Amino acid sequence: MNNRIRVMLVEDHPEYREVIQLALEDEPDIELADQVGSSERALSVLQHSDHREMPDLILLDLNLPGDSGLDVLPAFRSITPETKIVILTQSGKEADVLRAIREGASGYLLKSSTVTQIVDAIRTVASGGAMLDSGVAKYVLDTLQSSVKQPELLHSLSQRELEILRLLSEGFVKKEVAHQLDISVSSVATYIRRIYEKLDVQNAPAAVNKAYRLGIFPTDGGN
């Protein structure tokens, strides 16, 4: 019976792939099942693998030729939802970290991590845990702490859409919003349609109500 953790490495730099390969060769409970240099190649391998050949865990770089790791993360999750994903990248940008976690990554490590830290992360995540690089953990936790009030819906709204939503909350109609912002009524209508789609609502009152419930607007009153 094979209880080894099957790992796929998606990394475009051959030298770094070799570092990971040499590190995992010494781990009796971890097997580097596949290593590929692009997200497109990784998707092809997964799409042509049967259930028994699927990796238990994917080590995924973000800065890849073609589609980035962030771009294909949802596709990986769709093809093999049981497979855990650990981001292994040079990017410590807050936006990258938060998007990766929202898209389902269970770990995020920087390439400055030691081999021991990477191996520990593989074991931790494969067993159902999560692992964050210490350099990015604080703002991730801070953001997740406030995510009940301000989920990704807030970040999906543009500044103009937030302005229009605020005016709708104050009772303005489309023509008045257009006058306030010095844009056409048709542009206002387009923005409002996008707001409804993003908030998954049918009308202005529902949009405003949801905005308050999500914490997009403060609840202390006052205009």
Side-chain angles (χ1 to χ4, degrees):
M1 184 175 180
N2 184 9
N3 292 320
R4 301 178 79 190
I5 303 168
R6 288 173 51 82
V7 174
M8 169 187 275
L9 173 62
V10 186
E11 166 62 54
D12 62 318
H13 290 98
E15 297 85 358
Y16 196 72
R17 287 206 303 267
E18 185 175 1
V19 169
I20 299 299
Q21 179 180 354
L22 291 173
L24 298 187
E25 281 178 353
D26 294 331
E27 305 301 328
D29 59 332
I30 302 175
E31 172 190 356
L32 185 58
D34 290 291
Q35 50 176 308
V36 296
S38 70
S39 54
E40 290 85 357
R41 178 59 184 158
L43 285 172
S44 178
V45 170
L46 293 174
Q47 288 167 342
H48 292 88
S49 299
D50 65 30
H51 179 72
R52 292 170 298 177
E53 296 173 329
M54 288 295 185
D56 300 303
L57 183 144
I58 297 173
L59 285 176
L60 178 63
D61 189 14
L62 295 187
N63 299 314
L64 295 165
D67 292 333
S68 74
L70 284 174
D71 291 335
V72 297
L73 214 163
F76 287 168
R77 299 284 296 153
S78 176
I79 294 170
T80 174
E82 299 302 318
T83 297
K84 308 294 185 181
I85 298 176
V86 173
I87 304 300
L88 184 57
T89 184
Q90 291 180 336
S91 173
K93 290 168 54 179
E94 182 174 355
D96 288 346
V97 179
L98 298 177
R99 181 180 168 192
I101 292 173
R102 286 197 298 265
E103 296 287 4
S106 298
Y108 197 107
L109 295 179
L110 300 181
K111 287 185 177 178
S112 56
S113 301
T114 66
V115 167
T116 299
Q117 289 172 325
I118 294 171
V119 171
D120 287 346
I122 290 173
R123 292 193 178 108
T124 298
V125 172
S127 64
M131 180 70 72
L132 291 175
D133 186 279
S134 60
V136 300
K138 183 182 184 303
Y139 60 73
V140 170
L141 293 175
D142 288 345
T143 300
L144 293 180
Q145 186 176 14
S146 63
S147 65
V148 174
K149 285 192 173 182
Q150 297 185 353
E152 59 269 21
L153 282 175
L154 170 58
H155 303 291
S156 73
L157 293 172
S158 69
Q159 188 59 43
R160 179 65 86 189
E161 288 165 350
L162 286 171
E163 290 173 346
I164 291 174
L165 187 55
R166 167 63 69 185
L167 290 172
L168 292 176
S169 75
E170 294 173 3
F172 287 84
V173 297
K174 290 178 185 176
K175 187 179 294 185
E176 294 170 328
V177 171
H179 178 72
Q180 287 283 328
L181 300 179
D182 195 25
I183 59 178
S184 69
V185 175
S186 62
S187 293
V188 172
T190 298
Y191 282 120
I192 289 176
R193 186 177 68 252
R194 291 175 184 168
I195 292 169
Y196 292 174
E197 289 173 353
K198 290 179 179 181
L199 295 180
D200 192 25
V201 297
Q202 300 298 319
N203 52 45
V208 172
N209 177 61
K210 192 163 188 177
Y212 277 105
R213 286 192 292 108
L214 293 174
I216 294 175
F217 295 154
T219 57
D220 53 1
N223 288 332

